[in-house]
Amino acid sequence: MNNFEWKNLIDPLFYIQFDINGIKLGLYLVLFIVFAETGLFAGFFLPGDSLLFLAGIYNRELIQNVLLIDSAFLNVTLLATFVALAGILGNAVGYWFGSKSGYYLYNKQDSFWFKKKYLIQSKDFFEKHGGRAIIFARFLPIFRTFAPIVAGIVMMEKKKFMFYNILSSFVWSFSLIFAGHYLYGFLLKNYEIDLKQHIELIVIILVVITILPVILKFSKKSKPEEETEE
């Protein structure tokens, strides 16, 4: 904490290794961030996919202060389940907020924490893909934050929303956490490549992979507008 820098807020390893006076709080911060991405609408700057991938690599360090089991598979499964539950809760809060305050959001002024253009773009994305948007959005920054809110605004059936909410949360958490855990073990065992020594590169690659579809979508949408102006 004494060496805190603002750039730490976008560094997933900062949260995973966070401790106060030797008390490891990484697991609780990971769960809070997953919840906050949709429940508190902070997904556009908090690490998401990279956080889960690295959580898979550091799963033992995260889970050992809660319940450490001899089986590595069960430890990773437990961690992924915790994350999925946090994601389900966050989406549910986002849906509730959207259903109660849609008019307010559309009339709210832009701020650091809120950009109305993201809400509108997420609404278009949701209308195009329907319930599947909840699943797609889990893997896309920005959309991940606003998809459940939009679902609440358009009054998507609660049972249908919860089905996609639960499905997307488990697919997202299990795929990324298991990928991080088993890719780390595979590369270390077969090629003596320790991914813990290449964390910055991993984060950059994951950010590019997840951000690129968003950039392409936004650029495609802006081109027709530019052509119309001409």
Side-chain angles (χ1 to χ4, degrees):
M1 289 295 291
N2 294 331
N3 299 320
F4 175 80
E5 297 180 13
W6 286 107
K7 66 179 182 180
N8 289 339
L9 294 177
I10 58 174
D11 178 11
L13 201 57
F14 169 75
Y15 299 103
I16 290 173
Q17 297 181 334
F18 188 86
D19 72 83
I20 297 179
N21 297 326
I23 301 175
K24 302 292 184 180
L25 300 175
L27 175 62
Y28 305 105
L29 278 180
V30 168
L31 297 179
F32 174 76
I33 289 173
V34 171
F35 167 80
E37 281 190 306
T38 51
L40 301 179
F41 328 126
F44 68 94
F45 79 90
L46 289 174
D49 302 299
S50 58
L51 179 68
L52 265 60
F53 187 86
L54 293 186
I57 295 176
Y58 288 90
N59 73 92
R60 185 179 180 86
E61 291 90 332
L62 286 171
I63 207 72
Q64 65 183 358
N65 289 325
V66 178
L67 177 63
L68 186 62
I69 307 171
D70 290 335
S71 170
F73 173 78
L74 291 179
N75 285 325
V76 179
T77 300
L78 184 61
L79 175 61
T81 300
F82 284 156
V83 170
L85 294 176
I88 292 170
L89 181 60
N91 262 9
V93 172
Y95 176 89
W96 173 84
F97 186 82
S99 66
K100 298 295 182 181
S101 56
Y103 177 82
Y104 165 76
L105 288 175
Y106 275 111
N107 290 278
K108 179 179 172 59
Q109 295 297 317
D110 283 354
S111 65
F112 175 79
W113 298 98
F114 177 83
K115 301 294 182 183
K116 186 164 63 176
K117 68 177 182 179
Y118 295 152
L119 179 64
I120 295 173
Q121 289 163 345
S122 296
K123 184 175 184 295
D124 294 340
F125 181 77
F126 186 86
E127 291 177 343
K128 179 179 179 180
H129 297 287
R132 292 176 299 172
I134 304 297
I135 298 177
F136 296 153
R138 267 296 177 195
F139 295 86
L140 297 174
I142 299 177
F143 291 110
R144 178 163 56 235
T145 299
F146 290 98
I149 301 174
V150 173
I153 291 174
V154 301
M155 300 303 291
M156 180 179 184
E157 184 184 359
K158 289 183 180 180
K159 289 183 179 180
K160 183 178 180 181
F161 170 78
M162 285 305 298
F163 170 78
Y164 285 107
N165 178 19
I166 294 171
L167 177 62
S168 65
S169 295
F170 273 94
V171 170
W172 182 57
S173 63
F174 272 71
S175 61
L176 287 172
I177 290 176
F178 271 76
H181 173 71
Y182 284 105
L183 184 61
Y184 170 74
F186 174 79
L187 292 178
L188 185 63
K189 179 180 179 180
N190 295 282
Y191 301 99
E192 297 184 355
I193 298 176
D194 187 352
L195 291 182
K196 291 183 179 179
Q197 305 301 319
H198 306 281
I199 295 300
E200 291 185 0
L201 179 60
I202 293 173
V203 172
I204 291 174
I205 292 174
L206 287 173
V207 168
V208 170
I209 291 174
T210 55
I211 289 292
L212 188 59
V214 178
I215 295 176
L216 291 176
K217 180 173 179 61
F218 287 174
S219 63
K220 287 180 181 179
K221 187 167 184 177
S222 64
K223 285 182 181 179
E225 294 176 356
E226 294 173 357
E227 292 174 359
T228 301
E229 293 176 357
E230 293 176 359

